[in-house]
């Protein structure tokens, strides 16, 4: 997804592909969005009834295959401000903090 936050789309794609390979999935579609505090809080309130910010949300796809037969795993929403806090707290680069949250989200979607 498009993001107003400075993320490395290629790194995000590589991380998703690595997670899929580890799970034994050859080809699949995963949506990734990096959002701000208000958006993640609103989604958390709407879908989990928690009026608070969170680091990452995952939404499994309702239909496992699209009209072309491509495996559709789901959506991952990452909070950029929360990733920034993780980066500062753990001495990580932003790329590594985003990667950490992305792997967490992929594990949720892949039920690991």
């Amino acid at each position: 997804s498009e993001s107003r936050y400075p993320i490395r789309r290629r790194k995000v794609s590589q991380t998703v592909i690595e997670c899929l390979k580890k799970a034994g999935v050859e080809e699949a579609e995963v949506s990734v969005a990096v959002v701000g505090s208000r958006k993640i809080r609103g989604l958390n309130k709407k879908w989990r009834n928690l009026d608070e910010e969170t680091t990452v949300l995952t939404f499994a796809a309702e239909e496992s295959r699209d009209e072309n037969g491509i495996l559709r795993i789901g959506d991952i929403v990452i909070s950029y401000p929360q990733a920034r806090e993780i980066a500062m707290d753990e001495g990580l680069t932003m790329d590594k903090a985003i990667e950490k949250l992305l792997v967490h989200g992929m594990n949720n979607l892949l039920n690991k």
Side-chain angles (χ1 to χ4, degrees):
S1 296
E2 289 301 315
S3 175
R4 67 182 184 112
Y5 296 99
I7 60 167
R8 294 184 190 206
R9 295 173 65 94
R10 184 176 296 188
K11 180 62 180 153
V12 168
S13 294
Q14 289 172 342
T15 301
V16 169
I17 290 167
E18 288 169 12
C19 289
L20 291 171
K21 283 183 181 177
K22 285 180 185 175
V25 177
E26 296 271 331
E27 184 178 348
E29 182 178 291
V30 177
S31 170
V32 178
V34 179
V35 301
S37 298
R38 282 193 314 256
K39 183 69 170 180
I40 199 93
R41 185 180 191 128
L43 289 169
N44 206 24
K45 172 106 171 111
K46 179 178 180 178
W47 296 104
R48 298 178 65 217
N49 203 30
L50 295 173
D51 191 13
E52 61 190 32
E53 208 173 329
T54 189
T55 55
V56 62
L57 292 169
T58 55
F59 302 95
E62 292 182 21
E63 297 292 326
S64 59
R65 301 264 176 197
D66 72 6
E67 63 276 355
N68 297 317
I70 294 175
L71 179 62
R72 174 105 176 80
I73 295 178
D75 306 310
I76 300 171
V77 183
I78 295 171
S79 168
Y80 190 86
Q82 290 291 311
R84 188 174 48 232
E85 284 188 33
I86 289 169
M88 289 187 304
D89 290 347
E90 298 181 19
L92 301 174
T93 64
M94 277 304 292
D95 284 345
K96 286 293 184 187
I98 296 281
E99 179 182 359
K100 180 178 182 170
L101 294 176
L102 185 54
V103 169
H104 176 78
M106 286 296 295
N107 286 339
N108 284 348
L109 289 177
L110 296 168
N111 296 317
K112 287 193 168 190

